[in-house]
Amino acid sequence: MELSLPTTVPLQAYLALAAILFCTGVWGLINCRNAVRVLMSIELMLNAVNINLMAFSSYLDGQLIRGQVFTIFVITVAAAEAAVGLAILLSLYRNRETVDMERFNLLRW
Amino acid sequence: MTIASSTQLICFTVLSAVVAIGALGVVLLPNIVYSAFLLGGVFLSVAGLYLLLNASFVAAAQVLVYVGAVNVLILFAIMLVNKKENMAAIPGLALRRLLSGAVCAGLFALLLRVAFTTPWATPGPEPVGEEATIRIGEHLFSDYLLPFELASVLLLMAMIGAIVLARRDVMAADIATGEPADQGLIEKTRTPLLLENTN
């Protein structure tokens, strides 16, 4: 039986790649104990969302490319989030002298 | 199959492999500096994917903002908090990893099922290709003008907030009470406020 390869990249391939990236990010967000790595996982998840938006914008909305505009806004918000997140991390590190997520438990019950 | 489409297919395969393996490396590598550089590689590959999708402006923005700003910021943060510390073992860590791995696998299966069973309306309208930058400009200054202006306010707020959060207490006097500020925190002569009693 001849294996039929697609001649162009299908939309589903981009969606599957974004799903892989998003799930990796979620796993890292839950499991990593270094706070910097948790922030990196958040960036991975935001990139997965951006890939989805761009794929839909190119395949389903080729004339009005609203997905690309949304991607620009997501990139802007991600930059702001990274700056504030790392500032919070530095402030925490100054007070706690650790980056272990398990020890940031001041608000725990 | 033409040369153009096969080139596109090969580029997509290589870039997506780099993205997937790089993301795993970001999460799993023991040395965090390596994972930060791998994260830069992932961002660059995602920019390559945007180029495959006829979006040169967003690809350039991705390289400038993510690789040039966010990744460098993360590297600086690693440099500032780089202390070798042995994280204390906590009970049930292996179980937690397994459980969260199962949850992520379930989420992945759900996303794949949605992606492959939904009848997407492909092929859509013809993509605009190289005119994408012009279209984005028109969008930003007509129907997306309000979010565009709000984004500038958001960036200003984030900048001021980051400065306020990350700076040390450098004012000579407390604003609220007028008393001299606690300079011990600046000079690191005093132990930090929230340090746990390790007894």
Side-chain angles (χ1 to χ4, degrees), chain B residues 83-99:
Chain B
K83 190 178 72 169
K84 282 269 178 260
E85 59 178 313
N86 293 320
M87 308 232 172
I90 50 171
L93 189 62
L95 179 68
R96 201 166 76 178
R97 294 214 158 149
L98 269 178
L99 269 180

Side-chain angles (χ1 to χ4, degrees), chain B residues 11 24 35 39 56 70-71 75 78 80 82 90-91 111 119 121 124-125 142 149 151 167 173 189 196:
Chain B
C11 285
L24 280 179
S35 44
L39 186 69
S56 45
V70 173
N71 203 23
L75 277 171
I78 290 172
L80 284 171
N82 193 9
I90 50 171
L111 287 175
S142 59
E149 300 293 342
R167 88 172 166 182
T189 53
E196 281 173 15

Side-chain angles (χ1 to χ4, degrees), chain B residues 136-156:
Chain B
I136 290 174
E138 286 168 1
H139 275 304
L140 283 184
F141 284 101
S142 59
D143 45 352
Y144 290 98
L145 183 62
L146 182 65
F148 181 67
E149 300 293 342
L150 280 181
S152 64
V153 179
L154 175 80
L155 282 175
L156 181 68

Side-chain angles (χ1 to χ4, degrees), chain A residues 64-66 68-74 76, chain B residues 57-58 61 132-151:
Chain A
L64 284 175
I65 53 167
R66 284 166 289 199
Q68 294 195 20
V69 185
F70 270 86
T71 305
I72 302 257
F73 287 127
V74 172
T76 313
Chain B
F57 178 75
V58 186
T133 313
I134 302 171
R135 295 288 166 88
I136 290 174
E138 286 168 1
H139 275 304
L140 283 184
F141 284 101
S142 59
D143 45 352
Y144 290 98
L145 183 62
L146 182 65
F148 181 67
E149 300 293 342
L150 280 181

Side-chain angles (χ1 to χ4, degrees), chain A residues 1-92:
Chain A
M1 189 179 120
E2 192 183 346
L3 190 67
S4 65
L5 281 171
T7 52
T8 55
V9 184
L11 171 65
Q12 283 88 351
Y14 283 98
L15 299 187
L17 176 67
I20 293 174
L21 200 56
F22 190 82
C23 290
T24 314
V26 170
W27 195 88
L29 184 72
I30 297 172
N31 279 299
C32 287
R33 294 185 64 187
N34 193 326
V36 182
R37 209 182 287 252
V38 170
L39 285 172
M40 289 198 233
S41 304
I42 295 176
E43 300 297 332
L44 286 183
M45 289 161 69
L46 284 166
N47 265 283
V49 173
N50 280 350
I51 290 177
N52 258 357
L53 284 173
M54 296 291 287
F56 282 126
S57 158
S58 175
Y59 280 85
L60 303 181
D61 192 25
Q63 284 298 311
L64 284 175
I65 53 167
R66 284 166 289 199
Q68 294 195 20
V69 185
F70 270 86
T71 305
I72 302 257
F73 287 127
V74 172
I75 288 177
T76 313
V77 174
E81 174 263 340
V84 174
L86 289 170
I88 290 174
L89 176 70
L90 282 186
S91 182
L92 265 176

